[in-house]
Amino acid sequence: MTRSLTLTRPDDFHLHLRDGAMLAGVAPETARHFARAIIMPNLVPPVVTGAQADSYRQRIMAALPGAAFTPLMTLYLTEASDPADIVAAHRAGMIAAVKLYPAGATTNSDSGVRRFDAVRPTLEAMAEAGVPLCVHGEVTDPEIDIFDREAVFIDRVLDPIRRATPGLRVIMEHVTTADAVAYVQAAASDLAATITTHHLIINRNHILAGGIRPHYYCLPVAKREIHRRALVHAALSGDARFFLGTDSAPHADPAKESACGCAGCFTATNTMPILAELFEREGALDRLEPFVAHHGADFYGLPRNPGRLTLMRQAEPVRFPARIETGAGPVTVFDPGFAVHWRVSEPV
Ligand code: DOR
Ligand code: ZN
């Protein structure tokens, strides 16, 4: 049996770090294991301009003194976004991508896009300049059942955008359905998808059967087991269009354990051990490195990391903290619901 596994140092291609005291509390959890992360711009107010992204990047670096970690910044797409500012920020290396939130789809998405035609000139400028678009793929139409919102988004929004904007490189974020997996598999190499840690592990029963479990609630919400299996299959397949984006999204516990709880699972602390356990169970430990360290960098046109990360297999289950304390309150760490025998070997 494998006792240790050394990988190219991984990247997280979808991460929420927040700001202020929460940023200070959660950023080290990611920087401990990951070399880089795509940083979501859904702050309040959102990160819209290149200048705002640069100042947020500096706050992230200030929260991580001495860490060898590179935040890859994104801009929040609004109907008033300035295409010239986006292209200039990308050219200057200040941003790696732009994020599209349909207005009202999720946490702090009110400034997102309502009329997709309004952002067409921006998307065209991005296609021309090679700026990738990260997409939260859910419709917000209240008539559409929440479990169908991703599949409907593909037909109503994503496919029309991609047809209207040839050359636009798109990352469908946190895919949760067999429909999205099939759509990505059928597309050309200008489309990729991130998969979260938690969507590889939980289905909708985990959220709702035997009591409501707020720490398993996120958006897009986890779907049926058949969809989870499709995600696992995609992650293990070696298809370079699928890669890790944890969507680790911290909320202080009172905001989750509430009559109207926030969406988000906090997985930064134990993602790598959990994924090692999952890939090992699936008999595919050799597929972990490409999924967490190769495919995403290749799609974004970034060099693969020179550093390494070593995971050690333990005879006994490893205990992770149930929660971390931050200046913004306690944040519960994702519980995969099964024993994890891997830990990251920390440099001495
Ligand atoms: O569960 C989620 N939490 N999904 C998102 O799209 C946003 C995120 C957050 O910012 O809390
Ligand atoms: Zn997210």
Side-chain angles (χ1 to χ4, degrees):
M1 180 179 293
T2 311
R3 292 284 151 204
S4 87
L5 182 65
T6 297
L7 312 170
T8 303
R9 204 161 179 84
D11 297 313
D12 182 351
F13 280 95
H14 182 132
L15 177 67
H16 297 269
L17 285 181
R18 316 299 191 204
D19 214 341
M22 183 64 91
L23 166 64
V26 300
E29 300 296 296
T30 289
R32 197 169 289 139
H33 300 161
F34 292 88
R36 301 173 292 205
I38 287 274
I39 310 298
M40 287 297 119
N42 62 334
L43 305 182
V44 189
V47 180
V48 174
T49 66
Q52 289 167 341
D54 206 48
S55 116
Y56 185 29
R57 186 186 61 77
Q58 288 174 32
R59 298 199 296 283
I60 294 168
M61 295 315 291
L64 292 168
F69 176 76
T70 305
L72 304 168
M73 308 310 293
T74 61
L75 296 184
Y76 187 119
L77 182 66
T78 75
E79 291 177 21
S81 286
D82 174 4
D85 179 67
I86 288 175
V87 170
H90 187 255
R91 219 165 256 155
M94 283 153 67
I95 60 160
V98 169
K99 175 70 186 253
L100 185 161
Y101 287 104
T106 187
T107 310
N108 302 334
S109 61
D110 295 349
S111 315
V113 178
R114 288 188 167 74
R115 297 171 305 118
F116 292 95
D117 278 349
V119 295
R120 180 161 298 176
T122 308
L123 298 181
E124 282 168 4
M126 288 168 54
E128 170 101 29
V131 185
L133 179 72
C134 299
V135 176
H136 183 109
E138 287 190 288
V139 290
T140 54
D141 182 345
E143 301 281 301
I144 304 295
D145 189 279
I146 192 163
F147 292 101
D148 297 333
R149 288 181 180 188
E150 182 174 282
V152 173
F153 182 88
I154 295 170
D155 292 341
R156 280 197 194 169
V157 183
L158 183 57
D159 199 56
I161 284 179
R162 292 186 56 246
R163 284 176 195 280
T165 330
L168 183 65
R169 293 172 69 68
V170 175
I171 301 98
M172 201 179 169
E173 308 253 53
H174 42 51
V175 288
T176 60
T177 57
D179 312 63
V181 168
Y183 182 69
V184 173
Q185 285 168 337
S189 59
D190 58 350
L191 180 65
T194 56
I195 305 179
T196 75
T197 309
H198 48 286
H199 288 118
L200 288 171
I201 290 164
I202 59 166
N203 62 38
R204 64 196 205 177
N205 280 7
H206 292 87
I207 313 169
L208 296 170
I212 291 181
R213 310 220 182 238
H215 296 290
Y216 289 151
Y217 173 61
C218 66
L219 288 170
V221 70
K223 310 295 192 298
R224 289 177 181 275
E225 176 64 6
I226 188 175
H227 294 291
R228 186 190 73 84
R229 284 306 312 168
L231 302 179
V232 170
H233 191 259
L236 303 179
S237 67
D239 184 330
R241 289 168 298 183
F242 296 98
F243 45 88
L244 178 66
T246 66
D247 198 12
S248 182
H251 294 275
D253 284 348
K256 299 246 349 138
E257 298 165 7
S258 140
C260 184
C262 294
C265 298
F266 179 68
T267 54
T269 304
N270 52 1
T271 272
M272 288 308 303
I274 290 173
L275 290 178
E277 187 82 24
L278 179 76
F279 278 60
E280 180 185 40
R281 282 175 164 208
E282 298 286 341
L285 260 183
D286 60 323
R287 295 292 166 90
L288 183 60
E289 182 178 43
F291 179 67
V292 302
H294 295 167
H295 296 166
D298 296 351
F299 187 82
Y300 273 89
L302 299 165
R304 294 177 183 178
N305 294 312
R308 300 252 177 265
L309 186 81
T310 297
L311 289 142
M312 309 288 293
R313 195 180 199 287
Q314 314 294 294
E316 297 299 317
V318 178
R319 290 192 182 280
F320 297 99
R323 61 191 59 80
I324 64 161
E325 298 300 330
T326 78
V331 175
T332 289
V333 174
F334 180 74
D335 175 3
F338 52 70
V340 173
H341 298 82
W342 293 86
R343 68 175 175 78
V344 173
S345 155
E346 307 285 346
V348 277

